[in-house]
Amino acid sequence: MKLNTITLALSLLGLTTAVQAQKTTSLFDGKTLNGWKPIVGSAPYAIENGMIVGTMAKGSPNSFLVTEKEYGNFILELDVKLEGTETNSGIQTRSHFNPAGNQGKGMVYGRQVEIDPSARSWTGGIYDEARRQWLYPLELNPKAKSAYKVEEFNHYKIECIGNETKTWVNGIPVAYVIDTVDQTGFIGLQVHGIGNNLKLDGKKVYFKNIRIQTENLKPQAFPKGIYTVNFMPNNLSAYEKANGYKLLFDGKTNAGWVGAYKTAFPAKGWSIANGELTVLPSDGAESTNGGDIVTKEEFSAFDLSFDFKLSEGANSGVKYFVTLSEKNTGSAIGLEYQVLDDERHPDAKLGRDGNRTLASLYDLMTAKKEARFLHPIGAWNSGRVVVYPNNKVEHYLNGVKVLEYTRGSEEFRKLVALSKYKVWKDFGEAPKGHLLLQDHGNRVSFRSIKIKTL
């Protein structure tokens, strides 16, 4: 029976839409590399047993085999096996090539779905190659860390529709990123650079069953409860709303906020413009200009996210469990996620063992962070504080967990006894409290402040 006869028969049965919805195209015929081209790096790609095989080469930077065609909206599926556990690989999506990059050697940049067999286990996370670095580390979805199978073929599904990118590994939902950057670009297969590591020289990455769907796309729903990284300022996606998140700053007004110890929003010292809530600079002192601002609402167990942008040498903070019962001068009392320019502000060198540095629990516990996960002064960073119903608390910086503790525990109380907060009875143990943005006399901007009650 000819194809058009089959289509007609299916049409009479009302089944053509279902067939169209499932139509996929192979990006690799198992015999040739037609439609693909190697760019950047010297790691070789070859065809073996119907698979694309990339071989690690010492002295080579990251190497890429990319599609000659660019893609916008698509659902991509493929199987990948990586030898060993000491390196990684990746799948580029909507990516680009800058021939002048890397000192004229060429540079691939764009969102990459990570293949990570190491103990870190961030397979399926999303990395922005040669640009913004990690967008979705698996600290944000630790349950998905177990999806990867070492030294076996793993099945990847990547859904890029509109501004949304979602990933699955072996059927397990992993990462969810909403990002307005790059609406089209090529797809690429990476062989990671290994430097001069002779132990890894010759290790291989196998790619097979590479197929793509570009028409009649139907998004696959994620189950509830998976954290979303949303780079659209002051925006909540339908998925975030369904998961119980709400905005604490609408990007336009001061609704929901008042001055600490006041009944109205400060008349000076704060500005709202371009979707940013900004502390205006004064003399660098605590709460001497507009003063701190707090939420009208109080919270107990919650998942709080916020973006912040520091000016050079700036100091601020996001406090939680602020009761306003102390009636103290200066900044209101509460547990504080420190917001600081560690390099230029002297407070970073005070306290104990760095417990006043960026993302630390101020004056109590030091954030364990790597410099490569920090964005520069003047760029946006993302903070997150999660307080569970059992009083366990976590701080995150740009998606990476940097500390955890339990309010009211013996260890917590010992830390309080060594801190400036020892004079406050039951410090940090209130059942609920306001959230606070600190005025420390330096220019600091906030946006995308969102919260979910747990």
Side-chain angles (χ1 to χ4, degrees), residues 235-313:
N235 171 268
L236 287 177
S237 66
Y239 179 79
E240 289 174 291
K241 291 177 183 177
N243 274 270
Y245 284 93
K246 67 178 182 178
L247 288 175
L248 293 179
F249 170 55
D250 61 14
K252 300 175 182 178
T253 71
N254 58 33
W257 295 86
V258 295
Y261 302 123
K262 298 175 183 176
T263 57
F265 194 84
K268 64 174 186 176
W270 291 81
S271 74
I272 297 175
N274 303 314
E276 301 173 14
L277 178 57
T278 301
V279 190
L280 299 179
S282 52
D283 60 359
E286 277 189 4
S287 302
T288 56
N289 191 17
D292 301 341
I293 59 173
V294 297
T295 56
K296 293 179 181 179
E297 190 174 351
E298 294 183 85
F299 302 93
S300 51
F302 56 84
D303 188 338
L304 170 71
S305 297
F306 53 93
D307 292 345
F308 62 92
K309 181 171 62 176
L310 287 158
S311 60
E312 190 170 304

